[in-house]
Amino acid sequence: MSILDRVPNSILWLCNLSELAICQIRRETHNFHIHESRVLFTQRVSRRESVHRNALVDLVLDTPCCNSLDDTLDALWAGTPVVTLLGRTIATRVSASMCTAVGCADLVTTSLHEYEELAVSLAIDSKKYWSLRQRLDEARRDRKRGFLFDFERHVSNLEAGVEAVWATAISHKLPTNISVSPDLSVSCR
């Protein structure tokens, strides 16, 4: 609510919430003197529609207690910056990994204060905001720059890893850790 309070004319768009959560959020908007029309509640939609929705919004605020995963990927693919808070568990670190993999590690924060400040600064500093959108667009167009979207490399790495697993199995060796480097060389430890 603090971000809504600090950024005039901003709207919070929330998806797939329970009735209880909606009631609590409405209560908070009232407590913060934020008009209820500035918070939109919608239902989940198809993946394709989700990407289209993300192209319509200016900024996605990732949920700090459990990252949104698919929604983060959809937003980044749509070219929409995602502000995320780096947590201590895998469920709170995935969005940070995705932002880093598209060359936007500056979207990753380490405290709630940083999270809020970054969200507000992106909302009011158009130069900073459009620079991020441009980097996301470049990452999607040039897959070598945006590792997250380099699907061919992901498939090649997976294939190399599976081949290494198979080679270990048919040679009757014990299972081991397998690492695939960017040049597709495989090491087994």
Side-chain angles (χ1 to χ4, degrees), residues 96-111:
S97 295
M98 285 192 254
C99 289
T100 302
V102 293
C104 293
D106 45 340
L107 288 170
V108 180
T109 63
T110 58
S111 71

Side-chain angles (χ1 to χ4, degrees), residues 8-23:
N9 301 318
S10 60
I11 294 172
L12 179 62
W13 186 353
L14 298 168
C15 178
N16 209 34
L17 297 177
S18 69
E19 285 301 316
L20 177 61
I22 291 171
C23 288

Side-chain angles (χ1 to χ4, degrees), residues 17-32:
L17 297 177
S18 69
E19 285 301 316
L20 177 61
I22 291 171
C23 288
Q24 290 172 334
I25 290 169
R26 284 189 173 136
R27 187 176 320 117
E28 285 300 305
T29 59
H30 178 74
N31 292 342
F32 275 80

Side-chain angles (χ1 to χ4, degrees), residues 101 142-160 180-184:
D142 180 1
R143 307 278 168 88
K144 301 299 181 217
R145 292 178 68 182
F147 176 70
L148 182 65
F149 303 132
D150 190 353
F151 307 119
E152 290 175 6
R153 184 176 355 167
H154 292 303
V155 170
S156 296
N157 287 352
L158 179 61
E159 288 171 342
V180 179
S181 67
D183 66 356
L184 296 181

Side-chain angles (χ1 to χ4, degrees), residues 13 49-59 78 80 129 133:
W13 186 353
E49 186 66 26
S50 177
V51 172
H52 291 300
R53 276 185 179 179
N54 278 298
L56 297 174
V57 301
D58 294 320
L59 185 63
T80 304
Y129 171 77
R133 283 204 82 121

